[in-house]
Amino acid sequence: MTPSNSPAYPPLPIDEALPRLAAALAAGPCAVLAAPPGAGKTTRVPLALMDAPWAKGGRILMLEPRRIAARAAAERMAEMLGEEAGRTIGYRIRGEARVSKGTRIEVVTEGILTRMLQSDPELLGVAAVVFDEIHERSIHSDLGLALTLEVQAALRPGLRLLAMSATLDTQALSRLMGGAPVIESAGRAYPVDTRWLDAPWSRPGGRGPRFAEAAAGLVCQALAEAEGDILVFLPGAGEINRTASLLSRLAPEVAVAPLYGALPFPRQRAALRPDPEGRRRVVLATSIAETSLTVEGIGAVVDCGRARRQRFNPATGMSALVTVPVSRAEADQRRGRAGRLGPGLCLRMWTKGEEGVLAAFAPPEIIEADLAPLALDLAAWGVEDPAALAFLDPPPAPALAEARKLLAGLGALDADGRITAHGREMAALPAHPRLAHMLIRATAQGLGTEAAVVAAILGDRDPLKGRASADLALRIAAVTGPQRFEAGHPGLADRGAVERIRAEARRLAPGTPDPARAQSAAGALLALAYPDRIGLRRPGDEPRYLLSGGRGAVLPADDPLATQRLIVAAEVEDSGREATIRLAAALSEADLRAQHGSAIRRVDSAEWSRRTRQVEARSREMFGALALADRPWREAPPELLGAALAGGIRVLGLAALDWPPAAISLRQRIGWLKAQGGPLAARLPDFSDAGLLAALDDWLTPHLAGMRRIDEANRLDLTALLTAALGREVRRDVDRAAPAWFETPLGDRAAIDYSGTAPLLRIRVQELFGVIRHPCAGDPPVPLVIELLSPARRPVQTTRDLPGFWNSSYAEVRKEMRARYPRHPWPEDPALAAATNRAQARRT
């Protein structure tokens, strides 16, 4: 008899939905169960399914997104059967497994289902997979559901899949699962009196109470106005500890119980149960208490409205832990915790107006997470395109591409994106791909136990609680050496963290690490896991580093690591223009070369320097973006220097060159001819600034060989270079159609200006005497604009019709000019006069 039918256990709301659920799974392989928090689905459903005909002889796997929930659910189900966990009901989480041959229901988490699938794609012996709290949208749940749906379709059509959700869009989930029936349980909830703040607890620039003070104030209000214990939702352990410290003074009569993932399990278990001394409790919890955990005796909820999330930036390859407002769905789940025993109270630490801007749901983890583990799992499964799998939300392409780039750099993927033998070894290890790579490579170097310590430290909370330098070696010393744990001593390690890290290190690599060796190898080991975060100190007094991946990062100025030339950053927070280094280790150049020598390359370059305004030829040893050595390249080929100088000219523009008048004229003539159109224009090159810069390598760069500075380039004959670029035949046609000069009757040459819309000839009136045809240019010819000048070379008339000028306006000009310039000839009929550039002899 299942506990749902046993009189020893009180009925739960989910009980009425169990027959419908059993019928749905008897008729088809998939179902969706929608039940609010507190309905009892986590413990009742697996036990009810265990005796179904299709489950005979098979196990039921239930995936829980959180370790504490997985262990608590297994223990609760085992207690309902009068057993201890590990017999009929077992669990398997990271670092701990309590299962036996007789286990029928196994609660798993932390990607364990994925590893089961990778090693046994058919899931032989498994009758059903239950995805609990799938609305939390953990990346493990999303991937596990996608993979099991493919297994069901291709290998195990009889495998049952059940998705259980409290708030998710069940219709979308039903469509993903091939139209699976949706069974709904109304649940049972008592009314909850929900109250909001009258005004925001903190205003920009205001003097409102700090976060922990505001939270503690609401807790005291809830203690005064509600019966039973108080469940308080806070974003993280730091806020929990600060609020607990305040409550020890404000409400010393109550028992304060923290509840978060890094607590030892006995303390987590204690927080779920009434106080053994009968005192009222205040349970200070993170979001782990929103759904799958049952915290007994709760009569009121204080929701501080914040949650902590990891956000990954694919552009930088870094994650940032951010505190964000909760979604409306999360707030509703938290509120529901107050109405399980009877009418309850929920105090929200935000105003009713602020609630209107909350998002409807929290974003799925797959949208914001580091996708390197997912990319490795997909490669191990043989999937190149995630669209081939049934994801509720496909992984974002930029983040997936960044993840695959990292995996390729670690040797997990080949050039075609397929998993390598090394990648399969990595996928088999219960660690992030970076750490798995480090463990495998370090073991081959005889540093396996030391690498396990490093991996365990990186996978847990900081054992020094951030109170010391960012130096990883200090954490290694705390974990591997004798350590005092007296409370209140500022440099002491956290006992719980140290014990967890030691246990995890033994699980990853059994054996005893050498403390001194582990500390001295810290940088070398981190360099294996984080080749893109090896940092080289920039010049200057501030501890600013350039990371090998190209990102800038900074250490606190007083950190002892700040004097190191090379470091490896393990934890880097993407905090703006430069990232902030939270955890790192010093790295010797010898260790860098030993671990990544094949990736260090010599790069010879000749580049234009904006700072020195000349070509600088350097020979560098590069590791990623880092220049480990940088010296002058004295053997730089002349052609490379010339090309770099051409690059400088592109930066500065053609105005940086000294253009002689003849070259300027040639460019203007060609520009005018092109503007006129016609057959000739189609044959002419583009001698504008843009055109010459685009063709720089054709007409100028070859002549810059060996040059480093602009003044050297200015020694070149630019007119000759442009003429050569034209070619003899085109140059001849240009000179014919747009001559640079007008030859006067005296045999002199007057320059024609082509800088405007029409060619312009500036010339003194006397030099055109006897000219009866107006000068032209172009093909077809167009009249020149003639600016007629006085003997003093001042403009007196502009004309496009010289014969017409002689016959009309000239008489007026002659009258005025004779008085002003009496020594110069002013004949009555200039068309018949001889041209001259001389004044008449003075009469005596």
Side-chain angles (χ1 to χ4, degrees), residues 110-140:
E110 296 287 321
I112 289 175
L113 173 62
T114 303
R115 287 195 290 278
M116 287 180 170
L117 285 161
Q118 298 284 16
S119 60
D120 177 16
E122 292 188 65
L123 287 179
L124 295 176
V126 174
V129 181
V130 179
F131 296 88
D132 193 21
E133 311 295 359
I134 199 166
H135 58 269
E136 292 194 14
R137 298 299 310 281
S138 77
I139 201 167
H140 296 299

PDB file of all heavy atoms in Angstrom, residues 110-140:
ATOM      1  N   GLU A 110      22.239  17.493  -9.804  1.00  0.00           N
ATOM      2  CA  GLU A 110      23.581  17.956 -10.168  1.00  0.00           C
ATOM      3  C   GLU A 110      24.127  17.293 -11.424  1.00  0.00           C
ATOM      4  O   GLU A 110      25.296  16.901 -11.492  1.00  0.00           O
ATOM      5  CB  GLU A 110      24.563  17.726  -9.012  1.00  0.00           C
ATOM      6  CG  GLU A 110      24.233  18.531  -7.774  1.00  0.00           C
ATOM      7  CD  GLU A 110      24.552  20.003  -7.942  1.00  0.00           C
ATOM      8  OE1 GLU A 110      25.578  20.322  -8.558  1.00  0.00           O
ATOM      9  OE2 GLU A 110      23.764  20.831  -7.467  1.00  0.00           O
ATOM     10  N   GLY A 111      23.326  17.109 -12.441  1.00  0.00           N
ATOM     11  CA  GLY A 111      23.802  16.558 -13.698  1.00  0.00           C
ATOM     12  C   GLY A 111      24.025  15.062 -13.684  1.00  0.00           C
ATOM     13  O   GLY A 111      24.551  14.509 -14.657  1.00  0.00           O
ATOM     14  N   ILE A 112      23.652  14.392 -12.594  1.00  0.00           N
ATOM     15  CA  ILE A 112      23.867  12.949 -12.508  1.00  0.00           C
ATOM     16  C   ILE A 112      23.043  12.213 -13.552  1.00  0.00           C
ATOM     17  O   ILE A 112      23.498  11.229 -14.151  1.00  0.00           O
ATOM     18  CB  ILE A 112      23.566  12.451 -11.091  1.00  0.00           C
ATOM     19  CG1 ILE A 112      24.673  12.958 -10.149  1.00  0.00           C
ATOM     20  CG2 ILE A 112      23.468  10.933 -11.034  1.00  0.00           C
ATOM     21  CD1 ILE A 112      24.445  12.656  -8.702  1.00  0.00           C
ATOM     22  N   LEU A 113      21.826  12.690 -13.811  1.00  0.00           N
ATOM     23  CA  LEU A 113      21.011  12.061 -14.849  1.00  0.00           C
ATOM     24  C   LEU A 113      21.715  12.125 -16.198  1.00  0.00           C
ATOM     25  O   LEU A 113      21.709  11.148 -16.964  1.00  0.00           O
ATOM     26  CB  LEU A 113      19.643  12.738 -14.936  1.00  0.00           C
ATOM     27  CG  LEU A 113      18.751  12.283 -16.100  1.00  0.00           C
ATOM     28  CD1 LEU A 113      18.429  10.795 -15.987  1.00  0.00           C
ATOM     29  CD2 LEU A 113      17.467  13.106 -16.160  1.00  0.00           C
ATOM     30  N   THR A 114      22.345  13.262 -16.489  1.00  0.00           N
ATOM     31  CA  THR A 114      23.040  13.400 -17.774  1.00  0.00           C
ATOM     32  C   THR A 114      24.167  12.385 -17.886  1.00  0.00           C
ATOM     33  O   THR A 114      24.350  11.751 -18.928  1.00  0.00           O
ATOM     34  CB  THR A 114      23.598  14.824 -17.925  1.00  0.00           C
ATOM     35  OG1 THR A 114      22.523  15.768 -17.802  1.00  0.00           O
ATOM     36  CG2 THR A 114      24.270  14.996 -19.279  1.00  0.00           C
ATOM     37  N   ARG A 115      24.933  12.199 -16.820  1.00  0.00           N
ATOM     38  CA  ARG A 115      26.029  11.229 -16.864  1.00  0.00           C
ATOM     39  C   ARG A 115      25.494   9.804 -16.979  1.00  0.00           C
ATOM     40  O   ARG A 115      26.114   8.949 -17.621  1.00  0.00           O
ATOM     41  CB  ARG A 115      26.931  11.391 -15.640  1.00  0.00           C
ATOM     42  CG  ARG A 115      27.795  12.646 -15.705  1.00  0.00           C
ATOM     43  CD  ARG A 115      28.925  12.611 -14.693  1.00  0.00           C
ATOM     44  NE  ARG A 115      28.431  12.736 -13.331  1.00  0.00           N
ATOM     45  CZ  ARG A 115      28.130  13.894 -12.745  1.00  0.00           C
ATOM     46  NH1 ARG A 115      28.244  15.019 -13.427  1.00  0.00           N
ATOM     47  NH2 ARG A 115      27.727  13.925 -11.504  1.00  0.00           N
ATOM     48  N   MET A 116      24.351   9.524 -16.354  1.00  0.00           N
ATOM     49  CA  MET A 116      23.728   8.201 -16.525  1.00  0.00           C
ATOM     50  C   MET A 116      23.372   7.974 -17.992  1.00  0.00           C
ATOM     51  O   MET A 116      23.612   6.887 -18.545  1.00  0.00           O
ATOM     52  CB  MET A 116      22.457   8.106 -15.676  1.00  0.00           C
ATOM     53  CG  MET A 116      22.678   7.991 -14.184  1.00  0.00           C
ATOM     54  SD  MET A 116      21.069   7.882 -13.326  1.00  0.00           S
ATOM     55  CE  MET A 116      21.593   7.468 -11.668  1.00  0.00           C
ATOM     56  N   LEU A 117      22.801   8.991 -18.609  1.00  0.00           N
ATOM     57  CA  LEU A 117      22.415   8.869 -20.012  1.00  0.00           C
ATOM     58  C   LEU A 117      23.634   8.701 -20.917  1.00  0.00           C
ATOM     59  O   LEU A 117      23.613   7.921 -21.873  1.00  0.00           O
ATOM     60  CB  LEU A 117      21.611  10.105 -20.440  1.00  0.00           C
ATOM     61  CG  LEU A 117      20.167  10.173 -19.939  1.00  0.00           C
ATOM     62  CD1 LEU A 117      19.643  11.599 -20.019  1.00  0.00           C
ATOM     63  CD2 LEU A 117      19.287   9.236 -20.760  1.00  0.00           C
ATOM     64  N   GLN A 118      24.701   9.445 -20.628  1.00  0.00           N
ATOM     65  CA  GLN A 118      25.900   9.345 -21.463  1.00  0.00           C
ATOM     66  C   GLN A 118      26.513   7.948 -21.389  1.00  0.00           C
ATOM     67  O   GLN A 118      27.014   7.421 -22.389  1.00  0.00           O
ATOM     68  CB  GLN A 118      26.943  10.389 -21.030  1.00  0.00           C
ATOM     69  CG  GLN A 118      26.497  11.843 -21.157  1.00  0.00           C
ATOM     70  CD  GLN A 118      26.501  12.368 -22.574  1.00  0.00           C
ATOM     71  OE1 GLN A 118      26.549  11.600 -23.536  1.00  0.00           O
ATOM     72  NE2 GLN A 118      26.443  13.677 -22.727  1.00  0.00           N
ATOM     73  N   SER A 119      26.444   7.322 -20.210  1.00  0.00           N
ATOM     74  CA  SER A 119      27.044   5.989 -20.061  1.00  0.00           C
ATOM     75  C   SER A 119      26.086   4.876 -20.476  1.00  0.00           C
ATOM     76  O   SER A 119      26.515   3.786 -20.854  1.00  0.00           O
ATOM     77  CB  SER A 119      27.501   5.769 -18.609  1.00  0.00           C
ATOM     78  OG  SER A 119      26.394   5.862 -17.728  1.00  0.00           O
ATOM     79  N   ASP A 120      24.776   5.146 -20.406  1.00  0.00           N
ATOM     80  CA  ASP A 120      23.777   4.132 -20.774  1.00  0.00           C
ATOM     81  C   ASP A 120      22.595   4.841 -21.442  1.00  0.00           C
ATOM     82  O   ASP A 120      21.592   5.141 -20.787  1.00  0.00           O
ATOM     83  CB  ASP A 120      23.314   3.361 -19.525  1.00  0.00           C
ATOM     84  CG  ASP A 120      22.221   2.337 -19.860  1.00  0.00           C
ATOM     85  OD1 ASP A 120      22.053   2.011 -21.063  1.00  0.00           O
ATOM     86  OD2 ASP A 120      21.529   1.890 -18.927  1.00  0.00           O
ATOM     87  N   PRO A 121      22.691   5.135 -22.728  1.00  0.00           N
ATOM     88  CA  PRO A 121      21.632   5.909 -23.398  1.00  0.00           C
ATOM     89  C   PRO A 121      20.256   5.259 -23.337  1.00  0.00           C
ATOM     90  O   PRO A 121      19.249   5.965 -23.437  1.00  0.00           O
ATOM     91  CB  PRO A 121      22.138   6.009 -24.840  1.00  0.00           C
ATOM     92  CG  PRO A 121      23.606   5.811 -24.759  1.00  0.00           C
ATOM     93  CD  PRO A 121      23.824   4.849 -23.629  1.00  0.00           C
ATOM     94  N   GLU A 122      20.190   3.945 -23.155  1.00  0.00           N
ATOM     95  CA  GLU A 122      18.876   3.295 -23.100  1.00  0.00           C
ATOM     96  C   GLU A 122      18.246   3.362 -21.718  1.00  0.00           C
ATOM     97  O   GLU A 122      17.055   3.061 -21.563  1.00  0.00           O
ATOM     98  CB  GLU A 122      19.003   1.830 -23.520  1.00  0.00           C
ATOM     99  CG  GLU A 122      19.350   1.628 -24.988  1.00  0.00           C
ATOM    100  CD  GLU A 122      19.268   0.166 -25.386  1.00  0.00           C
ATOM    101  OE1 GLU A 122      18.162  -0.395 -25.351  1.00  0.00           O
ATOM    102  OE2 GLU A 122      20.326  -0.407 -25.716  1.00  0.00           O
ATOM    103  N   LEU A 123      19.024   3.757 -20.717  1.00  0.00           N
ATOM    104  CA  LEU A 123      18.537   3.771 -19.332  1.00  0.00           C
ATOM    105  C   LEU A 123      17.904   2.426 -18.972  1.00  0.00           C
ATOM    106  O   LEU A 123      16.774   2.345 -18.493  1.00  0.00           O
ATOM    107  CB  LEU A 123      17.528   4.911 -19.117  1.00  0.00           C
ATOM    108  CG  LEU A 123      18.096   6.331 -19.074  1.00  0.00           C
ATOM    109  CD1 LEU A 123      16.972   7.352 -18.875  1.00  0.00           C
ATOM    110  CD2 LEU A 123      19.131   6.488 -17.967  1.00  0.00           C
ATOM    111  N   LEU A 124      18.652   1.371 -19.218  1.00  0.00           N
ATOM    112  CA  LEU A 124      18.153   0.024 -18.932  1.00  0.00           C
ATOM    113  C   LEU A 124      17.825  -0.104 -17.446  1.00  0.00           C
ATOM    114  O   LEU A 124      18.592   0.309 -16.575  1.00  0.00           O
ATOM    115  CB  LEU A 124      19.196  -1.022 -19.336  1.00  0.00           C
ATOM    116  CG  LEU A 124      19.489  -1.101 -20.846  1.00  0.00           C
ATOM    117  CD1 LEU A 124      20.603  -2.100 -21.112  1.00  0.00           C
ATOM    118  CD2 LEU A 124      18.220  -1.475 -21.610  1.00  0.00           C
ATOM    119  N   GLY A 125      16.693  -0.691 -17.161  1.00  0.00           N
ATOM    120  CA  GLY A 125      16.253  -0.873 -15.790  1.00  0.00           C
ATOM    121  C   GLY A 125      15.509   0.315 -15.226  1.00  0.00           C
ATOM    122  O   GLY A 125      15.039   0.264 -14.084  1.00  0.00           O
ATOM    123  N   VAL A 126      15.390   1.389 -15.997  1.00  0.00           N
ATOM    124  CA  VAL A 126      14.659   2.574 -15.542  1.00  0.00           C
ATOM    125  C   VAL A 126      13.286   2.564 -16.198  1.00  0.00           C
ATOM    126  O   VAL A 126      13.172   2.507 -17.430  1.00  0.00           O
ATOM    127  CB  VAL A 126      15.417   3.872 -15.889  1.00  0.00           C
ATOM    128  CG1 VAL A 126      14.571   5.091 -15.543  1.00  0.00           C
ATOM    129  CG2 VAL A 126      16.754   3.907 -15.152  1.00  0.00           C
ATOM    130  N   ALA A 127      12.245   2.621 -15.391  1.00  0.00           N
ATOM    131  CA  ALA A 127      10.886   2.602 -15.925  1.00  0.00           C
ATOM    132  C   ALA A 127      10.368   4.007 -16.194  1.00  0.00           C
ATOM    133  O   ALA A 127       9.547   4.208 -17.095  1.00  0.00           O
ATOM    134  CB  ALA A 127       9.952   1.894 -14.951  1.00  0.00           C
ATOM    135  N   ALA A 128      10.809   4.975 -15.409  1.00  0.00           N
ATOM    136  CA  ALA A 128      10.284   6.332 -15.561  1.00  0.00           C
ATOM    137  C   ALA A 128      11.312   7.333 -15.072  1.00  0.00           C
ATOM    138  O   ALA A 128      12.127   7.042 -14.190  1.00  0.00           O
ATOM    139  CB  ALA A 128       8.975   6.503 -14.787  1.00  0.00           C
ATOM    140  N   VAL A 129      11.253   8.522 -15.652  1.00  0.00           N
ATOM    141  CA  VAL A 129      12.053   9.658 -15.191  1.00  0.00           C
ATOM    142  C   VAL A 129      11.072  10.775 -14.843  1.00  0.00           C
ATOM    143  O   VAL A 129      10.259  11.178 -15.678  1.00  0.00           O
ATOM    144  CB  VAL A 129      13.060  10.135 -16.247  1.00  0.00           C
ATOM    145  CG1 VAL A 129      13.871  11.302 -15.694  1.00  0.00           C
ATOM    146  CG2 VAL A 129      13.985   9.000 -16.672  1.00  0.00           C
ATOM    147  N   VAL A 130      11.147  11.237 -13.615  1.00  0.00           N
ATOM    148  CA  VAL A 130      10.269  12.301 -13.133  1.00  0.00           C
ATOM    149  C   VAL A 130      11.099  13.569 -12.953  1.00  0.00           C
ATOM    150  O   VAL A 130      12.136  13.548 -12.279  1.00  0.00           O
ATOM    151  CB  VAL A 130       9.613  11.903 -11.793  1.00  0.00           C
ATOM    152  CG1 VAL A 130       8.718  13.039 -11.286  1.00  0.00           C
ATOM    153  CG2 VAL A 130       8.829  10.612 -11.945  1.00  0.00           C
ATOM    154  N   PHE A 131      10.648  14.642 -13.563  1.00  0.00           N
ATOM    155  CA  PHE A 131      11.339  15.929 -13.461  1.00  0.00           C
ATOM    156  C   PHE A 131      10.552  16.799 -12.481  1.00  0.00           C
ATOM    157  O   PHE A 131       9.523  17.375 -12.838  1.00  0.00           O
ATOM    158  CB  PHE A 131      11.444  16.596 -14.832  1.00  0.00           C
ATOM    159  CG  PHE A 131      12.284  15.829 -15.801  1.00  0.00           C
ATOM    160  CD1 PHE A 131      11.715  14.828 -16.599  1.00  0.00           C
ATOM    161  CD2 PHE A 131      13.643  16.070 -15.921  1.00  0.00           C
ATOM    162  CE1 PHE A 131      12.493  14.113 -17.490  1.00  0.00           C
ATOM    163  CE2 PHE A 131      14.424  15.353 -16.802  1.00  0.00           C
ATOM    164  CZ  PHE A 131      13.854  14.369 -17.592  1.00  0.00           C
ATOM    165  N   ASP A 132      11.053  16.860 -11.249  1.00  0.00           N
ATOM    166  CA  ASP A 132      10.355  17.639 -10.233  1.00  0.00           C
ATOM    167  C   ASP A 132      10.784  19.104 -10.322  1.00  0.00           C
ATOM    168  O   ASP A 132      11.928  19.415 -10.692  1.00  0.00           O
ATOM    169  CB  ASP A 132      10.691  17.090  -8.842  1.00  0.00           C
ATOM    170  CG  ASP A 132       9.766  17.649  -7.772  1.00  0.00           C
ATOM    171  OD1 ASP A 132       8.661  18.115  -8.121  1.00  0.00           O
ATOM    172  OD2 ASP A 132      10.150  17.617  -6.586  1.00  0.00           O
ATOM    173  N   GLU A 133       9.854  19.979  -9.964  1.00  0.00           N
ATOM    174  CA  GLU A 133      10.114  21.424  -9.950  1.00  0.00           C
ATOM    175  C   GLU A 133      10.711  21.906 -11.274  1.00  0.00           C
ATOM    176  O   GLU A 133      11.628  22.724 -11.307  1.00  0.00           O
ATOM    177  CB  GLU A 133      11.059  21.786  -8.786  1.00  0.00           C
ATOM    178  CG  GLU A 133      10.660  21.216  -7.451  1.00  0.00           C
ATOM    179  CD  GLU A 133       9.340  21.779  -6.917  1.00  0.00           C
ATOM    180  OE1 GLU A 133       8.729  22.631  -7.587  1.00  0.00           O
ATOM    181  OE2 GLU A 133       8.900  21.338  -5.851  1.00  0.00           O
ATOM    182  N   ILE A 134      10.183  21.399 -12.371  1.00  0.00           N
ATOM    183  CA  ILE A 134      10.759  21.755 -13.664  1.00  0.00           C
ATOM    184  C   ILE A 134      10.558  23.228 -13.981  1.00  0.00           C
ATOM    185  O   ILE A 134      11.236  23.803 -14.839  1.00  0.00           O
ATOM    186  CB  ILE A 134      10.184  20.854 -14.778  1.00  0.00           C
ATOM    187  CG1 ILE A 134      11.106  20.894 -16.010  1.00  0.00           C
ATOM    188  CG2 ILE A 134       8.747  21.245 -15.112  1.00  0.00           C
ATOM    189  CD1 ILE A 134      10.820  19.818 -17.011  1.00  0.00           C
ATOM    190  N   HIS A 135       9.631  23.868 -13.262  1.00  0.00           N
ATOM    191  CA  HIS A 135       9.421  25.298 -13.474  1.00  0.00           C
ATOM    192  C   HIS A 135      10.644  26.122 -13.072  1.00  0.00           C
ATOM    193  O   HIS A 135      10.771  27.277 -13.478  1.00  0.00           O
ATOM    194  CB  HIS A 135       8.203  25.780 -12.676  1.00  0.00           C
ATOM    195  CG  HIS A 135       8.328  25.531 -11.211  1.00  0.00           C
ATOM    196  ND1 HIS A 135       7.878  24.385 -10.620  1.00  0.00           N
ATOM    197  CD2 HIS A 135       8.864  26.280 -10.214  1.00  0.00           C
ATOM    198  CE1 HIS A 135       8.116  24.431  -9.329  1.00  0.00           C
ATOM    199  NE2 HIS A 135       8.727  25.568  -9.060  1.00  0.00           N
ATOM    200  N   GLU A 136      11.540  25.562 -12.257  1.00  0.00           N
ATOM    201  CA  GLU A 136      12.745  26.296 -11.893  1.00  0.00           C
ATOM    202  C   GLU A 136      13.703  26.442 -13.067  1.00  0.00           C
ATOM    203  O   GLU A 136      14.621  27.265 -13.026  1.00  0.00           O
ATOM    204  CB  GLU A 136      13.456  25.618 -10.720  1.00  0.00           C
ATOM    205  CG  GLU A 136      12.669  25.696  -9.421  1.00  0.00           C
ATOM    206  CD  GLU A 136      13.505  25.333  -8.215  1.00  0.00           C
ATOM    207  OE1 GLU A 136      14.750  25.273  -8.341  1.00  0.00           O
ATOM    208  OE2 GLU A 136      12.924  25.105  -7.142  1.00  0.00           O
ATOM    209  N   ARG A 137      13.492  25.640 -14.099  1.00  0.00           N
ATOM    210  CA  ARG A 137      14.209  25.755 -15.365  1.00  0.00           C
ATOM    211  C   ARG A 137      15.730  25.711 -15.194  1.00  0.00           C
ATOM    212  O   ARG A 137      16.481  26.481 -15.792  1.00  0.00           O
ATOM    213  CB  ARG A 137      13.809  27.033 -16.101  1.00  0.00           C
ATOM    214  CG  ARG A 137      12.341  27.123 -16.490  1.00  0.00           C
ATOM    215  CD  ARG A 137      11.932  26.009 -17.430  1.00  0.00           C
ATOM    216  NE  ARG A 137      12.845  25.906 -18.543  1.00  0.00           N
ATOM    217  CZ  ARG A 137      12.803  26.717 -19.592  1.00  0.00           C
ATOM    218  NH1 ARG A 137      11.871  27.645 -19.688  1.00  0.00           N
ATOM    219  NH2 ARG A 137      13.657  26.567 -20.586  1.00  0.00           N
ATOM    220  N   SER A 138      16.177  24.761 -14.348  1.00  0.00           N
ATOM    221  CA  SER A 138      17.622  24.578 -14.247  1.00  0.00           C
ATOM    222  C   SER A 138      18.131  23.998 -15.558  1.00  0.00           C
ATOM    223  O   SER A 138      17.407  23.317 -16.296  1.00  0.00           O
ATOM    224  CB  SER A 138      17.965  23.628 -13.094  1.00  0.00           C
ATOM    225  OG  SER A 138      17.724  22.281 -13.462  1.00  0.00           O
ATOM    226  N   ILE A 139      19.385  24.252 -15.842  1.00  0.00           N
ATOM    227  CA  ILE A 139      19.963  23.781 -17.092  1.00  0.00           C
ATOM    228  C   ILE A 139      20.025  22.258 -17.122  1.00  0.00           C
ATOM    229  O   ILE A 139      19.877  21.632 -18.187  1.00  0.00           O
ATOM    230  CB  ILE A 139      21.359  24.425 -17.310  1.00  0.00           C
ATOM    231  CG1 ILE A 139      21.757  24.367 -18.783  1.00  0.00           C
ATOM    232  CG2 ILE A 139      22.404  23.788 -16.424  1.00  0.00           C
ATOM    233  CD1 ILE A 139      22.950  25.237 -19.103  1.00  0.00           C
ATOM    234  N   HIS A 140      20.200  21.635 -15.940  1.00  0.00           N
ATOM    235  CA  HIS A 140      20.226  20.173 -15.876  1.00  0.00           C
ATOM    236  C   HIS A 140      18.859  19.592 -16.206  1.00  0.00           C
ATOM    237  O   HIS A 140      18.752  18.581 -16.907  1.00  0.00           O
ATOM    238  CB  HIS A 140      20.666  19.718 -14.486  1.00  0.00           C
ATOM    239  CG  HIS A 140      22.072  20.105 -14.132  1.00  0.00           C
ATOM    240  ND1 HIS A 140      23.159  19.669 -14.849  1.00  0.00           N
ATOM    241  CD2 HIS A 140      22.550  20.895 -13.141  1.00  0.00           C
ATOM    242  CE1 HIS A 140      24.263  20.165 -14.308  1.00  0.00           C
ATOM    243  NE2 HIS A 140      23.912  20.914 -13.283  1.00  0.00           N
TER     244      HIS A 140
END
